[in-house]
Amino acid sequence: MELLNQVTQFVISGLATGAIYALIGLSFAIIFNSTGIINFAQGEFVMLGGVLTIFCINALQLPLLAAICAAVAGTTVIGLLFERLAIRPLKNATPLALIIITIGASILIRGVVMLLWGKDTQALPAFSGNDPISIAGATLLPQHLWIFGVTILVIVGCRLFFHHTISGKAMRACSFNPRAANLVGVSVGRMVLFSFVISAAVGSLAGVIIAPLTMTAYDVGVMLGLKGFCAAIMGGMGSGLGTVLGGLILGTLESLGAGLISSGYKDAIAFFILLLILFIRPQGLFKKGETERV
Amino acid sequence: MRKLITTALALFALLCLSTVAFAAPPIKIGGLFAVTGPASFLGEPERNTAQMVVDEINKAGGVKGRKIELITYDTSGDATKAVQLVNKLIKNDKVVAIIGPSTTGDSMAIVPVVERAGIPLISCAAGSKITEPVKKWVFKTAQNDGLAAARIYEQLRKERKTKVAILSVSDGFGSSGREQLKAQAKAYGIQIISDDTYGPKDTDMTAQLAKIRGSQAQAVICWGTNPGPAVVARNAKQLGLKIPLYMSHGVSSKKFIELAGDAAEGIRLPSGKVLVADLLPKSDRQKGSLLAFIKDYQNHYRAEGDHFGGHAWDAVMLLKGAIERGGDTPAGIRNALEATRNFAGIGGVFNFSPRDHAGLTKDAFTLVEVRKKDWVLVK
């Protein structure tokens, strides 16, 4: 019975962590889906969400909701500037060059945040208290429900946007074949800009809702970004359910691994899975071959 | 004519040399601190404090009339960089003694270098292995983590708790603490029934804690530095863990209470005395140094002095004493350092000897508990 309780706790904790990975994975996939770039500054967008919210609350004395909006807006502007100043000016750059630029940007953002707000870890107050909720012998914090809720909203939003709006379809078209998309009148540049804006917004939102749980500092983006990337790879870099499932599976396996096998192997498990998938199913766990028509 | 010029030049050269001798060049001391990087919470207050203390010594006329010049470099907590920088300090800057580095990893990396060069080093890191076994030129001011482990075990024995669970961070600090906890358990009649770790960047430790909750443990000892332990505290509260939670001295600053919030209530930890200087009885020998240090730091940096800064305070003051007694050569400083007795500093009362280059006993730690977002002494 005790073991059953424990396993329930492992799974529920894992799902909660997995939802965080999923959300970050989604923001990776959004950019990849319209540009083919893997944006390694994604973790920094997540970090910015949390750090800016805390800044707005402490220094500007804004109420929580306003602070969150300001932080997400702020990060979105940074995403926009990033695309305008670092990605756009490079005509015909190879994906590799672009990826290296995103790595550079991530180091730059981290450095600037460290200089502006210091190196200390900071915590955001939980949105709706810290009283644990018990579910089937396991406990969960109200903040976890926020994470689940926001993740679901973002998935639904992405789905609607990418499959049922002109802009979303245009963005997907760009990812499949930018040249062809251009020929039929899609402004590829604008779609790339869109994707950076949306993914910065999603990433920072993720950062905001996880900050009360995991706390935040200038360097939290690295690990979160990596795990989110893992989730996106598992989902085959799709912007939908695949990535979310990838994140949830990753979180659950990590948690089960830490609880049942040894906590020392937690990160090793994540990266082992990542490598395994890259070897066996580079197209992701849930993706069929590249036959989709747009 | 040529002879005249040569003589003039020789005279001039002599004059130059003698002026140098008259002006008494400053005594050069090196400082290696992890001011940036993951260990910056150690390195920054250490560098600040070292600079503050050196400035004060110089303002008061220096050591035996000679100024001290502190040359500090930032290791970023990177052992490779630490080795490069220590070579620079020894070869280019020609320092006579070095304080720092901030982390055990950095310290261990430069130990062979200072040993070979014969330059006294006063490390500000906590790992016991820095001075065990004793190395001729290496001293340290940070309390050994073994002493903190002993302090926790002593309390557990007092409360007749014999089964503990350990949860340590998987970095140098955590694994060293874990070794100490395991090594000393037997002496205190304690049985470690669960031994888990977490990654320094982990954000959820419920899996490990759920496992501990299901065990027979009567207390949990978590060994790490912020922010991990704050997450552990929050997760423990989330899981409704009923047994007492002990932390290491690695989180003994107000920052921990701030991060853990309500979940910090009731948590106990061994701490250097800086944190509770005003609560200490008047009879405590360190009280004078402690209050002076806290006041100074407050005046200089508008922040509370912590024990990390304290380690640097101790290192500089120990050096000052050693130079006063042993002269300004590396060998003289080393011998005088080794002969230091009863120096009541920030970290504790130091007694160095040829067999002990760490110099502290477990009295350097006091056990504190978090109550109403502040520290109280555990009797």
Side-chain angles (χ1 to χ4, degrees):
Chain A
M1 190 57 210
E2 183 55 44
L3 187 71
L4 187 71
N5 265 349
Q6 273 185 37
V7 172
T8 331
Q9 180 67 52
F10 297 155
V11 171
I12 287 188
S13 298
L15 288 177
T17 328
I20 299 174
Y21 298 161
L23 208 46
I24 300 166
L26 271 180
S27 61
F28 265 102
I30 291 170
I31 289 187
F32 183 81
N33 265 353
S34 52
T35 62
I37 302 172
I38 294 164
N39 174 25
F40 280 104
Q42 203 60 53
E44 272 54 48
F45 291 153
V46 177
M47 173 269 288
L48 278 172
V51 170
L52 288 178
T53 309
I54 289 173
F55 168 72
C56 290
I57 289 180
N58 291 348
L60 307 181
Q61 304 285 334
L62 293 180
L64 186 66
L65 193 66
I68 293 172
C69 295
V72 173
T75 314
T76 311
V77 169
I78 291 169
L80 191 141
L81 288 175
F82 172 45
E83 198 276 337
R84 271 291 154 115
L85 301 176
I87 304 287
R88 171 95 45 114
L90 283 139
K91 295 261 186 311
N92 304 323
T94 59
L96 187 67
L98 291 171
I99 287 171
I100 291 172
I101 287 174
T102 66
I103 294 177
S106 83
I107 295 171
L108 176 74
I109 295 175
R110 221 177 302 148
V112 170
V113 169
M114 186 187 87
L115 288 176
L116 286 180
W117 290 295
K119 287 165 279 195
D120 275 342
T121 307
Q122 288 170 307
L124 194 66
F127 298 170
S128 32
N130 273 321
D131 298 327
I133 306 161
S134 26
I135 301 165
T139 52
L140 206 60
L141 290 174
Q143 194 65 31
H144 287 129
L145 298 183
W146 278 98
I147 295 175
F148 287 133
V150 170
T151 311
I152 293 169
L153 275 181
V154 171
I155 307 167
V156 173
C158 277
R159 178 85 199 170
L160 289 178
F161 178 75
F162 280 109
H163 291 262
H164 300 281
T165 66
I166 294 292
S167 304
K169 285 179 180 172
M171 278 170 77
R172 284 169 64 224
C174 286
S175 86
F176 284 109
N177 192 335
R179 201 177 144 76
N182 207 0
L183 283 174
V184 295
V186 175
S187 162
V188 177
R190 182 179 293 170
M191 294 307 136
V192 172
L193 182 66
F194 267 6
S195 71
F196 270 85
V197 165
I198 297 171
S199 110
V202 171
S204 63
L205 193 63
V208 174
I209 56 171
I210 66 175
L213 273 184
T214 63
M215 290 171 265
T216 190
Y218 76 102
D219 61 348
V220 294
V222 185
M223 206 58 183
L224 288 172
L226 225 52
K227 294 281 173 67
F229 177 62
C230 247
I233 290 284
M234 286 176 80
M237 279 301 193
S239 52
L241 219 52
T243 301
V244 174
L245 284 176
L248 294 179
I249 292 174
L250 181 65
T252 316
L253 284 180
E254 262 190 14
S255 174
L256 283 172
L260 297 176
I261 306 168
S262 164
S263 43
Y265 299 124
K266 200 171 148 200
D267 289 338
I269 292 170
F271 295 113
F272 179 70
I273 298 171
L274 177 67
L275 287 178
L276 209 65
I277 288 171
L278 285 174
F279 284 138
I280 302 170
R281 280 190 71 87
Q283 74 272 37
L285 286 181
F286 313 103
K287 216 173 188 179
K288 293 173 213 92
E290 292 283 318
T291 52
E292 193 167 357
R293 288 185 53 175
V294 184
Chain B
M1 189 59 195
R2 172 172 292 176
K3 203 166 182 190
L4 196 66
I5 291 173
T6 331
T7 328
L9 270 178
L11 270 175
F12 182 67
L14 205 70
L15 205 69
C16 285
L17 277 178
S18 50
T19 38
V20 171
F22 284 140
I27 301 170
K28 285 185 180 175
I29 295 178
L32 290 175
F33 302 112
V35 184
T36 57
S40 61
F41 68 98
L42 304 166
E44 201 172 330
E46 282 167 4
R47 186 210 44 202
N48 287 351
T49 309
Q51 196 58 57
M52 175 183 91
V53 180
V54 166
D55 289 348
E56 267 163 24
I57 292 174
N58 288 340
K59 217 190 275 167
V63 186
K64 286 209 219 151
R66 287 179 66 189
K67 300 252 151 80
I68 293 180
E69 185 187 343
L70 180 71
I71 303 164
T72 56
Y73 295 121
D74 175 15
T75 68
S76 334
D78 177 345
T80 322
K81 225 168 156 185
V83 172
Q84 287 167 355
L85 292 170
V86 77
N87 277 314
K88 198 170 163 195
L89 279 175
I90 295 171
K91 288 184 184 135
N92 298 5
D93 302 318
K94 309 240 182 294
V95 296
V96 294
I98 297 169
I99 59 176
S102 315
T103 68
T104 304
D106 287 3
S107 301
M108 292 310 285
I110 70 163
V111 160
V113 184
V114 296
E115 283 286 299
R116 221 177 307 128
I119 299 287
L121 173 78
I122 307 184
S123 168
C124 293
S128 316
K129 59 188 171 190
I130 298 169
T131 53
E132 277 166 29
V134 173
K135 289 143 195 115
K136 190 176 173 198
W137 297 92
V138 182
F139 299 80
K140 72 197 269 288
T141 54
Q143 303 94 335
N144 277 344
D145 34 18
L147 302 177
R151 194 68 194 76
I152 295 176
Y153 278 165
E154 203 180 63
Q155 181 69 23
L156 289 175
R157 185 168 61 181
K158 214 156 119 194
E159 291 172 11
R160 295 179 196 290
K161 297 203 161 87
T162 54
K163 294 187 180 115
V164 300
I166 300 176
L167 184 55
S168 57
V169 61
S170 60
D171 62 10
F173 181 77
S175 55
S176 171
R178 178 164 164 251
E179 273 166 38
Q180 289 297 331
L181 286 169
K182 279 158 93 170
Q184 296 185 28
K186 209 162 178 198
Y188 288 89
I190 278 166
Q191 198 189 347
I192 295 169
I193 56 168
S194 157
D195 176 11
D196 274 303
T197 59
Y198 65 87
K201 294 245 172 261
D202 280 4
T203 51
D204 181 80
M205 280 64 135
T206 41
Q208 291 95 320
L209 288 166
K211 206 162 111 188
I212 291 170
R213 187 177 59 177
S215 72
Q216 299 288 309
Q218 292 165 313
V220 188
I221 304 173
C222 167
W223 210 274
T225 48
N226 286 329
V231 177
V232 169
R234 286 159 169 243
N235 287 163
K237 193 177 175 224
Q238 177 200 338
L239 293 179
L241 206 66
K242 290 284 179 290
I243 53 180
L245 182 53
Y246 284 81
M247 292 284 166
S248 74
H249 55 305
V251 295
S252 63
S253 71
K254 278 274 166 67
K255 189 80 204 169
F256 170 69
I257 303 184
E258 187 194 311
L259 289 178
D262 292 337
E265 283 304 291
I267 287 176
R268 290 174 169 186
L269 50 107
S271 161
K273 294 181 181 171
V274 178
L275 218 53
V276 286
D278 46 341
L279 302 179
L280 292 173
K282 278 214 180 69
S283 58
D284 196 286
R285 292 177 48 205
Q286 288 170 254
K287 194 161 182 168
S289 304
L290 288 170
L291 292 176
F293 163 63
I294 292 170
K295 201 168 140 229
D296 265 4
Y297 202 90
Q298 187 73 43
N299 289 341
H300 267 81
Y301 299 108
R302 308 257 162 266
E304 249 172 87
D306 53 15
H307 7 261
F308 309 128
H311 300 330
W313 196 94
D314 288 342
V316 177
M317 293 307 264
L318 282 165
L319 265 186
K320 177 182 174 240
I323 296 170
E324 273 166 0
R325 284 174 287 118
D328 61 359
T329 60
I333 293 173
R334 190 211 85 89
N335 293 340
L337 267 179
E338 196 166 71
T340 303
R341 300 280 183 281
N342 283 320
F343 168 77
I346 308 300
V349 180
F350 289 86
N351 279 299
F352 287 135
S353 73
R355 266 175 306 156
D356 183 7
H357 281 191
L360 293 172
T361 62
K362 68 174 185 295
D363 295 333
F365 283 109
T366 84
L367 205 63
V368 297
E369 186 176 311
V370 182
R371 235 177 268 160
K372 296 202 183 95
K373 313 228 157 183
D374 207 349
W375 311 105
V376 295
L377 293 172
V378 176
K379 294 272 153 49

